[in-house]
Amino acid sequence: MKLPLLPCALLLLLATAPGPGPWPAAGAQESCSQRCGDPGGQCSCHPTCVGLGTCCSDLRDFCLEIVPYSGSMMGGKDFVVQHLKWSSPTTSVICRFKESVQTLGHVDSFGRVHCVSPLLYETGRIPFTLSMDNGRSFPRSGTWLAVHPSKVSETEKSQLVNETHWQYYGTTGIGGNLSLTWNVSALPTDSVTIELWGYEETGKPYSEEWTAKWSYLYSLATNVPNSGSFTFVPQPAPQHYQRWEVGALRIVSSKHYDGERDVQALWSNEHALAWHLGNDFRADPVAWARTQCLNWEELEDQLPTFLEELPDCPCTLAQAQADSGRFHTDYGCDIEHGSVCTYHPGAVHCVRSVQASPQYASGQQCCYTKEGTQLLTADSTSGSTPDRGHDWGAPPFRAPPRVPGLSHWLYDVISFYHCCLWAPECSRYMARRPSSDCLRYQPPRLASAFGDPHFVTFDGANFTFNGRGEYVLLEAALTNLRVQVRAQPRTTLEGAQDRGTGLTAVAVQEGNSDVVEVRLAGATVVLQVLLNQEVLSFAEQKWLDLKGMFLSVASEDSVSIMLSSGAGLEVSVQDPFLSVAILLPEKFLNHTQGLLGTLNDNPADDFTLRNGQVLPPTAKSRELFRFGADWAVENASSLFTYDSRLLVNNFLYRPKHDPTFQPLFPEEITPSPSQVIEAAELCGDNHFCSFDVAATGSLSVGNATRLAYQLHQHRVQSLQPVVSCGWLAPPDNGVKEGIRYLKDSKVYFHCNNGHSLVGTEISTCLASGKWSSPTPTCQPGRSHTVLLSIVFGVLAVVAVVALIYVLLHRRKGNMAMWTSQP
């Protein structure tokens, strides 16, 4: 259930609170039992109550905090409920997730309550409730974070030693022992059972009968000492287990019966089960895999085509890295981590589309060389391949092909093993997973806000507006996208406040998505992220699957928000304020308003007031101040969290734009001669930097502004449209040189021996997006090389004959002269 926005709820709470003043009376007698998230009543059970001092006394007993708070969606993770002590051990603990999946918990000897996470088919924040009376009531609640198996720490999983060996077992030259290791302390028990589980999706594809299922298959060993390692020689599994080709190992305490679900466990990575396949595979793995590849090919041709609804890849690596609202690093090929691109040799970086496609939940992948050129499967098996099942899954998850990671394994990865790794049939796979070129790719539009603060609109207009309050940075009715910012004065070390301001908080919501707020914590430059008014921790996970968006925290001072529409926000600390960059896809053209202007390629109308009046691009700073003030947030539509008395008093009770705050205007600033010199040395021609140095007297503030604007300019440059002429085929019976198909690129053609080139040997990509000439043909017959060889051969023979003739003629003349001697 979505939490209500605080402003209205808080106003109601303040209006009905007893006692003198706006805060609830001490000792208010009301419980949080079954009320977590509720701000009303005599006391609050809402996350904001801690800062406001309005919490019910039993908040922590019923609104649960847990450690750890995250784990693999495969389940089996033990977590402890904090702040809840149970006086006596009990076996009546039941943990219920999403009102449907129940696991058994327990109370340990210290009185701490434990739960075990269940096997799920989805990622994201999973609500759970807790019963301490064997299921008769569930008054306590909390949230568990289920994550993609690939994002779980290696210490929380069992490790397949030399995983490639496992997945090639039985192929030519691969055999012998297999080994498994694990962290003994992660599974406190004397002996363990090692089980194999298989994953499958059954039923008619893309129908309601299509279901996903993990099944216990068999145990490799039971009552094995919990030593942290296990080695065995795999034997072919019985025939009735052969249909499972994707699976994982699970290690559990031997006290559980085989295949018992939702108990504390350590899972391995999901992988290709080559090692458990039958004797027919081991006898001739190539023939076996070829049959599987042909079967996949036949099935694939019966399924709906998904390629048309995928986004085109960016044309260059620079575009792919800058288009952070729609594309994100593929962790299997990451330039920031050494470019270990196992499945895409020759690439240095790959990205995946963030959002799955709307109808078929498919995903796009785009890979690039070190020169920034896109790699296509039409040129090389190293090219990027789209996915029928998006690796990260797609809401509402649970059903194929939306199950995170696992649907992708069944429809895209195991078939790659069949066709490309175990059998030489990769052309069949690539024909059905062709790379996207970038013919239809349109870079997103960029706008930024930073510094004192300064704004650069989507159409390139720029201005400074240093009001104090909360403002609409962007609104777009197309998707009901709202981005709001809070601006406050900078507080100096002496406690005084500047007459300039800067951004200290950003809040965003699109449609009925979650609300995310990124803010500076108190007077610090530490980022704090709130989800639906609750402060988040990133101690365990840096990536969150949320309702209507994804959120990534790459570092302590940067947050990326990727919305379902393809819009993206980058919020970072540029000491002492926040910097915000917003990326909008082309579909937002003519659909935006707010401080970042009207996206329509016309900067002349970017200063549009709410009533439609347009200020001219030459408007003075005081007129632009009126423009900024006009876009103040209204209380009823505020996305911000007011969880302290300071925020309530300064922003909830006061006007959203403070009319009493007197900012500095550029024409009022008279910098000292020394400031002029220092600013010139630091800022050069960056007028934003110069303004901030003069306004604050701080070179560090000016430098932060300078760097923020440089980053904006770099992103703008990276996102410049690029002309592509599209893939150009090599000639039949010939080859081509060149895999870059952008403006001014050249492709060279050559024919195989025994064929001659008909057409142009070189084709150039023109600014019009057309090739200067089509692919030539290679016709049977003597090639130019052969013809030249013949010509030179004939000439050589003629030369030799002529030389012999001359020599013979001279010899004959000499003989006649000798016979005339006395």
Side-chain angles (χ1 to χ4, degrees):
M1 173 178 161
K2 184 180 174 184
L3 297 176
L5 290 178
L6 181 58
C8 297
L10 182 59
L11 289 172
L12 177 62
L13 172 62
L14 300 181
T16 59
W23 312 105
Q29 299 298 311
E30 194 168 334
S31 174
C32 283
S33 175
Q34 296 183 321
R35 286 189 56 234
C36 292
D38 181 7
Q42 290 185 324
C43 59
S44 173
C45 302
H46 193 274
T48 57
C49 73
V50 176
L52 294 172
T54 60
C55 299
C56 296
S57 59
D58 61 0
L59 172 75
R60 287 183 163 184
D61 290 337
F62 290 95
C63 304
L64 306 179
E65 299 175 30
I66 59 174
V67 175
Y69 63 80
S70 68
S72 171
M73 70 179 198
M74 299 297 294
K77 187 70 173 289
D78 176 85
F79 61 85
V80 181
V81 178
Q82 304 293 292
H83 315 298
L84 178 62
K85 295 292 184 180
W86 212 250
S87 57
S88 59
T90 176
T91 57
S92 302
V93 181
I94 297 178
C95 313
R96 185 168 64 189
F97 297 79
K98 296 198 78 169
E99 299 297 325
S100 59
V101 182
Q102 293 190 168
T103 66
L104 294 178
H106 71 277
V107 176
D108 65 21
S109 58
F110 299 100
R112 299 176 303 181
V113 178
H114 294 246
C115 286
V116 175
S117 65
L119 171 60
L120 298 166
Y121 295 82
E122 61 184 303
T123 56
R125 289 166 59 85
I126 310 296
F128 75 92
T129 53
L130 176 66
S131 172
M132 301 299 295
D133 56 10
N134 205 30
R136 287 189 292 273
S137 65
F138 288 85
R140 296 171 171 84
S141 61
T143 301
W144 170 252
L145 179 61
V147 301
H148 192 292
S150 68
K151 292 183 172 66
V152 174
S153 168
E154 296 301 315
T155 61
E156 299 180 27
K157 297 186 285 188
S158 59
Q159 304 295 317
L160 306 177
V161 178
N162 191 352
E163 191 166 312
T164 301
H165 196 75
W166 287 72
Q167 298 185 122
Y168 278 76
Y169 198 94
T171 61
T172 304
I174 307 296
N177 294 335
L178 294 178
S179 295
L180 178 72
T181 62
W182 63 93
N183 181 5
V184 173
S185 62
L187 195 64
T189 183
D190 293 330
S191 61
V192 298
T193 296
I194 300 173
E195 307 169 337
L196 174 63
W197 287 61
Y199 180 78
E200 63 182 341
E201 295 181 355
T202 58
K204 183 180 178 181
Y206 302 104
S207 72
E208 293 183 359
E209 291 77 36
W210 205 9
T211 57
K213 185 178 181 181
W214 275 102
S215 300
Y216 165 76
L217 303 185
Y218 53 86
S219 294
L220 297 178
T222 58
N223 292 309
V224 176
N226 186 14
S227 63
S229 66
F230 173 69
T231 299
F232 71 109
V233 177
Q235 301 298 317
Q239 184 62 38
H240 58 282
Y241 294 126
Q242 294 300 307
R243 76 172 190 263
W244 282 280
E245 295 182 54
V246 175
L249 296 179
R250 190 182 79 151
I251 305 175
V252 298
S253 170
S254 295
K255 68 181 181 182
H256 300 294
Y257 63 81
D258 289 354
E260 184 176 353
R261 288 181 173 269
D262 300 327
V263 296
Q264 188 173 359
L266 293 175
W267 289 85
S268 73
N269 286 331
E270 68 274 17
H271 59 280
L273 301 180
W275 57 271
H276 107 129
L277 296 177
N279 286 320
D280 51 347
F281 173 76
R282 297 190 181 187
D284 192 344
V286 173
W288 185 94
R290 178 179 288 113
T291 299
Q292 298 300 107
C293 179
L294 294 175
N295 291 340
W296 169 80
E297 183 181 51
E298 181 179 355
L299 172 63
E300 187 71 20
D301 291 343
Q302 297 172 6
L303 296 177
T305 300
F306 64 90
L307 299 174
E308 285 78 4
E309 65 171 358
L310 292 177
D312 265 20
C313 284
C315 293
T316 66
L317 176 57
Q319 287 179 335
Q321 291 178 301
D323 192 352
S324 57
R326 294 183 290 183
F327 295 92
H328 193 269
T329 297
D330 181 347
Y331 299 110
C333 182
D334 184 359
I335 197 171
E336 300 294 333
H337 292 87
S339 297
V340 181
C341 305
T342 304
Y343 297 116
H344 303 280
V348 298
H349 194 69
C350 295
V351 296
R352 291 188 182 276
S353 56
V354 172
Q355 303 292 339
S357 64
Q359 182 174 1
Y360 297 117
S362 304
Q364 184 62 277
Q365 184 194 47
C366 316
C367 296
Y368 301 87
T369 67
K370 62 182 179 181
E371 293 80 19
T373 301
Q374 189 188 357
L375 276 173
L376 304 180
T377 53
D379 292 323
S380 166
T381 56
S382 297
S384 50
T385 53
D387 303 317
R388 181 170 289 280
H390 197 298
D391 185 29
W392 304 336
F397 304 109
R398 296 190 293 278
R402 299 175 177 271
V403 180
L406 300 170
S407 293
H408 173 57
W409 254 100
L410 283 190
Y411 304 112
D412 304 296
V413 181
I414 194 63
S415 49
F416 183 79
Y417 275 81
H418 293 155
C419 299
C420 297
L421 301 183
W422 295 343
E425 298 291 338
C426 211
S427 59
R428 299 179 184 276
Y429 183 88
M430 297 301 173
R432 286 152 185 81
R433 294 292 186 272
S435 300
S436 154
D437 59 23
C438 64
L439 278 173
R440 298 177 299 165
Y441 175 74
Q442 293 178 315
R445 305 301 184 91
L446 174 68
S448 297
F450 51 86
D452 198 39
H454 313 289
F455 301 84
V456 183
T457 70
F458 292 105
D459 294 336
N462 64 79
F463 66 101
T464 296
F465 166 65
N466 46 11
R468 181 188 186 279
E470 295 171 351
Y471 305 94
V472 174
L473 189 63
L474 169 68
E475 285 183 350
L478 178 70
T479 61
N480 196 20
L481 170 61
R482 295 183 293 156
V483 183
Q484 300 172 359
V485 292
R486 177 183 294 147
Q488 294 176 257
R490 183 178 76 104
T491 302
T492 67
L493 293 176
E494 294 77 21
Q497 289 189 340
D498 288 334
R499 286 178 61 192
T501 59
L503 304 183
T504 59
V506 182
V508 58
Q509 183 182 37
E510 185 172 51
N512 65 344
S513 76
D514 286 328
V515 176
V516 168
E517 179 181 346
V518 183
R519 68 187 184 187
L520 296 175
T524 70
V525 289
V526 176
L527 277 186
Q528 192 176 67
V529 182
L530 294 87
L531 174 65
N532 300 328
Q533 305 181 355
E534 180 180 0
V535 177
L536 293 177
S537 168
F538 295 94
E540 297 177 18
Q541 298 297 330
K542 306 298 184 184
W543 176 279
L544 294 180
D545 300 359
L546 305 177
K547 182 181 178 182
M549 65 179 72
F550 293 97
L551 190 148
S552 173
V553 179
S555 63
E556 293 182 353
D557 59 359
S558 179
V559 176
S560 298
I561 302 169
M562 295 146 276
L563 302 169
S564 60
S565 64
L569 279 77
E570 299 279 345
V571 184
S572 59
V573 176
Q574 295 286 348
D575 189 12
F577 298 123
L578 295 180
S579 173
V580 185
I582 300 181
L583 296 152
L584 292 184
E586 195 79 8
K587 66 184 179 182
F588 282 90
L589 201 66
N590 298 311
H591 290 289
T592 69
Q593 61 181 7
L595 294 180
L596 294 182
T598 305
L599 171 55
N600 61 359
D601 296 319
N602 177 20
D605 66 356
D606 277 354
F607 306 141
T608 301
L609 304 179
R610 287 182 185 269
N611 62 8
Q613 179 188 352
V614 179
L615 301 183
T618 56
K620 301 298 183 182
S621 56
R622 289 185 179 274
E623 292 180 281
L624 292 175
F625 189 79
R626 180 167 67 91
F627 161 71
D630 189 59
W631 282 105
V633 170
E634 298 174 353
N635 254 339
S637 62
S638 175
L639 300 176
F640 288 106
T641 301
Y642 306 94
D643 55 355
S644 71
R645 299 194 182 196
L646 180 68
L647 291 173
V648 169
N649 292 333
N650 287 342
F651 293 99
L652 182 63
Y653 283 169
R654 289 187 178 181
K656 290 302 184 182
H657 170 72
D658 184 354
T660 66
F661 181 76
Q662 294 299 314
L664 276 175
F665 295 105
E667 56 270 21
E668 297 176 353
I669 298 175
T670 306
S672 66
S674 62
Q675 282 184 326
V676 172
I677 295 173
E678 290 175 336
E681 291 177 351
L682 173 67
C683 304
D685 60 355
N686 186 329
H687 64 281
F688 294 135
C689 171
S690 300
F691 175 87
D692 285 2
V693 171
T696 66
S698 169
L699 289 176
S700 65
V701 173
N703 189 52
T705 298
R706 180 182 66 87
L707 295 175
Y709 186 50
Q710 284 182 348
L711 180 58
H712 171 85
Q713 291 176 308
H714 176 72
R715 283 173 172 157
V716 168
Q717 185 61 38
S718 297
L719 291 169
Q720 287 300 306
V722 176
V723 173
S724 171
C725 293
W727 180 71
L728 194 59
D732 293 336
N733 302 306
V735 295
K736 70 174 184 180
E737 295 178 19
I739 60 171
R740 189 174 178 87
Y741 307 112
L742 307 181
K743 180 177 173 290
D744 296 329
S745 299
K746 298 181 184 298
V747 175
Y748 300 83
F749 303 98
H750 308 283
C751 291
N752 299 334
N753 287 335
H755 294 78
S756 58
L757 191 75
V758 177
T760 306
E761 186 178 357
I762 302 175
S763 188
T764 303
C765 180
L766 305 177
S768 63
K770 303 293 184 182
W771 288 102
S772 61
S773 57
T775 298
T777 59
C778 292
Q779 295 185 352
R782 299 188 184 277
S783 66
H784 292 303
T785 303
V786 174
L787 290 174
L788 289 174
S789 299
I790 292 174
V791 170
F792 283 114
V794 170
L795 291 175
V797 170
V798 170
V800 170
V801 170
L803 180 61
I804 293 173
Y805 173 78
V806 170
L807 292 175
L808 288 174
H809 184 71
R810 288 181 178 178
R811 182 178 180 187
K812 183 177 180 181
N814 291 336
M815 290 180 64
M817 182 173 62
W818 292 338
T819 55
S820 64
Q821 294 291 328

